[in-house]
């Protein structure tokens, strides 16, 4: 898929934001723990991705009511839905000077169109050494989901079924989409939010 950039300026994909608060002490400490300065950007990107994928629980998978949004809170509580996990991955990588953006998919919420649709979040990472963007999905693996870090062929969590009105949005956003931030701010119960309040389109 051909990806489009919300901004032509790579520096916009390094900005600190309310949701991507990488100067927060808890983010800085985790970055110090994860990243050896001698590691390449690709190694750092893989380490950060696998940490968020494997060590931060998806709220739905653990049936937690907690809603997290800011990267520091996601890390502190070690949980969040895909939106929140994408904020943390961006924070960790932007702290290392690695441009990181936000991408979205429209998916069936459960297993049939009748059960509704939702927006799913993932990340795009710009690797300067390869001069290209790659997409990764740190949602968290479980039975039937096997997302991996790959610099060649995408290995995302969810294949898109266009025949059932699912879609890949081709834009790499420099900031989390306003609809995504709004739903996290407006809800206090992650399970209820996941079932009934996730946006169905951007």
């Amino acid at each position: 898929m051909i990806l489009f950039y919300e901004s032509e300026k790579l520096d916009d994909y390094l900005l600190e934001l309310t949701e991507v608060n990488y100067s927060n002490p808890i983010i800085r400490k985790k970055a110090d723990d994860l990243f050896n300065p001698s590691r390449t950007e690709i190694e750092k990107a893989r380490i950060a991705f696998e940490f968020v994928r494997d060590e931060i629980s998806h709220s739905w998978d653990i049936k937690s009511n907690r809603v997290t949004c800011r990267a520091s809170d996601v890390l502190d509580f070690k949980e969040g839905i895909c939106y929140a996990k994408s904020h943390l991955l961006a924070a960790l990588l932007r702290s290392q000077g690695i441009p990181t953006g936000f991408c979205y998919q429209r998916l069936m919420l459960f297993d049939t169109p009748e059960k509704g649709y939702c927006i799913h979040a993932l990340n795009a990472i710009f690797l300067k050494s390869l001069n290209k963007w790659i997409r990764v999905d740190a949602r968290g693996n479980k039975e039937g989901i096997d997302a991996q870090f790959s610099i060649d062929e995408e290995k995302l969590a969810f294949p898109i079924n266009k025949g059932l009105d699912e879609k890949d949005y081709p834009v790499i956003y420099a900031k989390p989409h306003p609809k995504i931030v709004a739903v996290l701010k407006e809800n206090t119960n992650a399970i209820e939010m996941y079932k009934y309040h996730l946006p169905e389109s951007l």
Side-chain angles (χ1 to χ4, degrees):
M1 186 179 75
I2 298 174
L3 297 171
F4 300 93
Y5 324 122
E6 182 184 31
S7 173
E8 293 289 336
K9 299 176 183 177
L10 273 179
D11 283 352
D12 287 347
Y13 295 91
L14 293 171
L15 293 174
E16 183 156 27
L17 309 167
T18 300
E19 301 79 25
V20 186
N21 56 338
Y22 56 74
S23 291
N24 185 283
I26 191 173
I27 300 286
R28 290 166 59 182
K29 182 179 186 306
K30 179 53 66 175
D32 288 343
D33 291 344
L34 288 175
F35 305 123
N36 183 315
S38 66
R39 294 193 185 277
T40 67
E41 62 167 2
I42 293 174
E43 289 172 331
K44 288 180 178 181
R46 180 190 297 274
I47 288 166
F49 164 74
E50 292 180 349
F51 170 75
V52 177
R53 182 193 66 186
D54 299 340
E55 301 301 327
I56 306 299
S57 298
H58 190 289
S59 304
W60 177 258
D61 293 350
I62 61 171
K63 296 297 182 279
S64 171
N65 291 328
R66 188 191 307 276
V67 178
T68 55
C69 180
R70 292 183 303 175
S72 57
D73 292 335
V74 182
L75 180 58
D76 190 23
F77 294 111
K78 294 186 167 50
E79 65 176 90
I81 67 166
C82 59
Y83 305 165
K85 294 185 72 169
S86 74
H87 299 168
L88 176 56
L89 182 55
L92 289 169
L93 291 177
R94 289 185 182 191
S95 79
Q96 302 301 297
I98 298 173
T100 307
F102 304 92
C103 293
Y104 299 98
Q105 297 172 322
R106 183 179 194 256
L107 303 173
M108 288 183 291
L109 181 56
F110 294 110
D111 52 359
T112 66
E114 292 74 28
K115 294 178 182 176
Y117 291 83
C118 69
I119 294 301
H120 173 65
L122 53 154
N123 293 95
I125 305 169
F126 185 74
L127 300 171
K128 294 176 184 176
S129 59
L130 302 177
N131 193 35
K132 73 173 185 178
W133 289 91
I134 64 167
R135 292 194 305 169
V136 297
D137 190 340
R139 176 234 178 269
N141 290 342
K142 59 179 183 177
E143 185 176 352
I145 297 176
D146 184 28
Q148 301 292 331
F149 182 89
S150 175
I151 60 174
D152 299 312
E153 180 183 357
E154 285 188 338
K155 297 182 179 179
L156 303 179
F158 301 107
I160 296 296
N161 188 329
K162 293 182 179 179
L164 292 176
D165 209 21
E166 295 184 330
K167 69 181 292 184
D168 258 320
Y169 290 96
V171 178
I172 303 173
Y173 292 92
K175 299 178 180 180
H177 194 280
K179 280 191 176 183
I180 299 308
V181 176
V183 76
L184 293 174
K185 288 184 176 179
E186 291 165 4
N187 287 273
T188 56
N189 183 309
I191 300 298
E192 294 297 305
M193 175 180 69
Y194 195 89
K195 286 181 178 178
Y196 305 117
H197 301 299
L198 298 183
E200 292 194 3
S201 63
L202 292 184

